[in-house]
């Protein structure tokens, strides 16, 4: 018993508490009704009578040491709190609260919306799950076009009875589908952009992802010409990439536009001299565009004799990667705070 008491004495002397809860635990352990000290006193019964007095004194010492320790620590903790209170200086600036920052893709999307809003474009959105008609057929994709192939498209459901076009439902592969919905539901003239998320069955790499974002644009009115398209997109390019940005249009092919083109801008890094970003060509491709094919207008019940229009589509990731010189598309989706924090903070 003596050894046990000695051990407890050591434990009590060494004890210190960082908070009230810890101190209370200590008090309960040693001094509560069922604590160590009272139970040692209860064991006095078993001590030989001639040793009882000595043992009693010893146990009293244990009890007093424990009580003193509790008192002592209580006072220290209280005085610490007092000093903390006394040290509060109300004139000090508040503690810094870290602000979040907007995702780079949102920054660029908002900027694109802002630029086109200034020349009269409205903004609307369409569904991410699309039927074959809006994603392909109405956009003049021939039946056997490779883009309908399983390789590009995530099909969700095949042939449910109540859907048009053999009932194929897919995740939209581009925001051009929203052109169709807009033309079906609105009268010309139309001047709108459609930002949104798109999906393609592609292997994920530094340059490609199976989920990405596009902004589609559509302008339908009487007498809209290719010159209008060029001027509008030139305006966009200079607003987005800076005064002095040059544009060039290369002939291309999209089923829903005729003629079709891809627009390049002069490399804003090297000014056209040639660098890594433009692969030493002086130009970087930023979007696809063209005059809306009359078949597409007719598919949406717009009189193609009266109205003409242009459309364009760009990848938000691509523009963001160029603008901020980001070389791996996966950065956008990993949500590493060290990456995200580098862009402008929330406004
Ligand atoms: N939908 C095309 C794509 O995803 C982009 C595009 C090209 C949209 C030309 C257009 C356009 O509206 O006219 O690659």
């Amino acid at each position: 018993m003596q050894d046990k008491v000695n051990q407890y004495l050591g434990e009590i002397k060494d004890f210190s508490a960082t908070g009230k809860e810890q101190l209370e635990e200590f008090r309960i352990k040693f001094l509560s009704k069922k604590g160590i000290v009272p139970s040692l006193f209860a064991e006095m019964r078993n001590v030989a009578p001639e040793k009882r007095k000595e043992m009693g004194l010893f146990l009293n010492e244990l009890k007093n040491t424990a009580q003193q320790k509790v008192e002592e620590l209580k006072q220290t903790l209280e005085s610490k709190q007092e000093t903390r209170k006394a040290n509060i200086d109300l004139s000090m600036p508040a503690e810094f609260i870290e602000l979040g920052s907007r995702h780079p893709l949102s920054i660029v999307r908002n900027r694109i919306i802002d630029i086109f809003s200034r020349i009269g474009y409205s903004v609307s959105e369409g569904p991410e799950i699309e039927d074959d008609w809006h994603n392909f057929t109405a956009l003049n994709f021939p039946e056997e076009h490779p883009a309908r192939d399983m390789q590009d498209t995530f099909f969700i459901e095949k042939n449910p009875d109540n859907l048009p076009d053999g009932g194929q439902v897919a995740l939209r592969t581009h925001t051009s589908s929203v052109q169709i919905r807009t033309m079906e539901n609105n009268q010309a003239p139309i001047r709108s952009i459609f930002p949104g998320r798109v999906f393609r069955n592609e292997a994920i790499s530094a340059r490609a992802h199976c989920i990405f974002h596009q902004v589609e644009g559509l302008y339908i009115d009487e007498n809209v010409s290719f010159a209008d398209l060029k001027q509008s997109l030139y305006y966009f390019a200079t607003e987005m990439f800076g005064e002095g940005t040059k544009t060039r249009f290369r002939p291309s092919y999209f089923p829903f536009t005729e003629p079709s083109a891809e627009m390049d801008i002069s490399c804003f890094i090297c000014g056209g001299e040639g660098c890594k970003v433009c692969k030493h060509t002086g130009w970087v491709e930023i979007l696809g565009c063209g005059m809306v094919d009359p078949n597409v207008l007719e598919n949406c019940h717009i009189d193609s004799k009266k109205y003409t229009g242009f459309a364009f589509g760009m990848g938000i990731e691509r523009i963001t990667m160029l603008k901020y010189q980001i070389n791996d598309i996966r950065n956008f989706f990993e949500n590493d705070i060290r990456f995200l924090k580098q862009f402008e903070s929330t406004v």
Side-chain angles (χ1 to χ4, degrees), residues 46 201 206 212:
N46 311 325
N201 193 358
F212 55 102

Side-chain angles (χ1 to χ4, degrees), residues 291-326:
M291 300 305 291
V292 179
D293 192 299
N295 286 344
V296 176
L297 295 175
E298 295 297 334
N299 284 339
C300 304
H301 312 294
I302 290 181
D303 183 353
S304 63
K305 304 238 161 37
K306 185 165 176 208
Y307 292 104
T308 51
F310 64 77
F312 53 89
M314 61 187 98
I316 303 182
E317 278 78 0
R318 176 159 177 79
I319 300 218
T320 312
M321 286 169 84
L322 286 170
K323 212 170 151 56
Y324 293 108
Q325 292 180 58
I326 297 163

Side-chain angles (χ1 to χ4, degrees), residues 117-131:
S117 312
R118 274 185 260 141
I119 51 170
Y121 282 74
S122 62
V123 182
S124 57
E125 289 181 13
E128 291 178 352
I129 298 174
E130 263 303 3
D131 51 49

